[in-house]
């Protein structure tokens, strides 16, 4: 899952340093270093010197990396739809609420991340009786920043998705 998350982040944000990628994905710089090394060895990302800092390398997906991400993303859509179908709308809403709260605690406990807001207009204000939200079939590059490092957060479906 971490390699998928990193590819998704790099695809969405373009070139990023290891530190930026680690912060965006909520992992340590030590963890991200090994992930980036593995992705580079597989030819899925390239790292080039930063034009601003000589010691910093900027990672970005290769064409092969983007193709792998697109294939993986299609599998994620199928999996998320199958999981959604396994629950009633009420169960799905309850599970979504529990996952949102769990994510909020994890974000609050992760050093270097911003505290998650709650209140009107945020995930904490979601109507639990609303229809379950299906995953989007947008390409990874079209995802919002909140969706790019999702490992359990719900994605908003486009009009007409079933």
């Amino acid at each position: 899952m971490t390699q998928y998350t990193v590819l998704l982040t790099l695809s969405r944000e373009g070139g990023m340093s290891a530190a930026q990628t680690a912060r965006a994905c909520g992992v340590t710089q030590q963890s991200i270093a090994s992930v980036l090394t593995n992705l580079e060895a597989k030819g899925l990302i390239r790292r080039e010197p930063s034009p601003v800092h000589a010691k910093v390398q900027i990672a970005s997906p290769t064409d092969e990396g983007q193709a792998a991400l697109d294939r993986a993303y299609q599998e994620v859509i199928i999996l998320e739809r199958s999981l959604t179908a396994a629950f009633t709308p009420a169960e799905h809403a309850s599970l979504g609420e529990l996952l949102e709260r769990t994510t909020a605690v994890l974000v609050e406990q992760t050093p270097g991340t911003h505290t998650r807001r709650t209140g009107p207009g945020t995930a904490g204000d979601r109507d639990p009786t609303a229809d379950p939200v299906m995953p989007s079939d947008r390409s990874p590059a079209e995802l919002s920043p909140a969706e790019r490092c999702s490992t359990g957060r719900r994605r908003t479906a486009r009009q007409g998705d079933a």
Side-chain angles (χ1 to χ4, degrees):
M1 182 57 93
T2 302
Q3 290 185 355
Y4 171 79
T5 303
V6 170
L7 277 175
L8 184 62
T9 301
L10 293 174
S11 174
R12 175 77 175 145
E13 298 298 321
M16 297 176 78
S17 70
Q20 291 169 323
T21 306
R23 280 190 298 275
C25 293
V27 298
T28 65
Q29 289 187 37
Q30 293 81 3
S31 296
I32 209 70
S34 64
V35 173
L36 291 173
T37 298
N38 289 335
L39 289 171
E40 186 176 35
K42 294 177 182 179
L44 301 176
I45 66 163
R46 70 180 145 274
R47 291 194 271 188
E48 299 172 344
S50 168
V52 179
H53 300 288
K55 293 185 178 184
V56 174
Q57 290 188 320
I58 303 298
S60 57
T62 62
D63 290 341
E64 296 84 17
Q66 188 62 51
L69 177 62
D70 292 342
R71 287 189 304 274
Y73 190 70
Q74 293 307 310
E75 292 179 28
V76 167
I77 290 170
I78 291 167
L79 176 60
E80 287 182 349
R81 286 188 175 154
S82 295
L83 288 170
T84 299
F87 298 98
T88 66
E91 290 170 332
H92 187 265
S94 295
L95 179 59
E97 176 66 27
L98 292 170
L99 290 173
E100 293 278 343
R101 287 177 25 209
T102 301
T103 301
V105 170
L106 291 172
V107 167
E108 289 171 6
Q109 296 299 315
T110 302
T113 61
H114 300 287
T115 304
R116 186 179 168 146
R117 295 183 319 118
T118 58
T122 65
D125 190 45
R126 187 178 56 80
D127 178 3
T129 62
D131 290 335
V133 177
M134 297 297 291
S136 168
D137 20 303
R138 292 175 288 158
S139 74
E142 296 173 314
L143 295 175
S144 72
E147 296 167 317
R148 75 174 180 269
C149 283
S150 175
T151 58
R153 296 181 193 148
R154 299 174 311 109
R155 291 190 183 94
T156 304
R158 289 189 305 179
Q159 277 299 50
D161 282 350

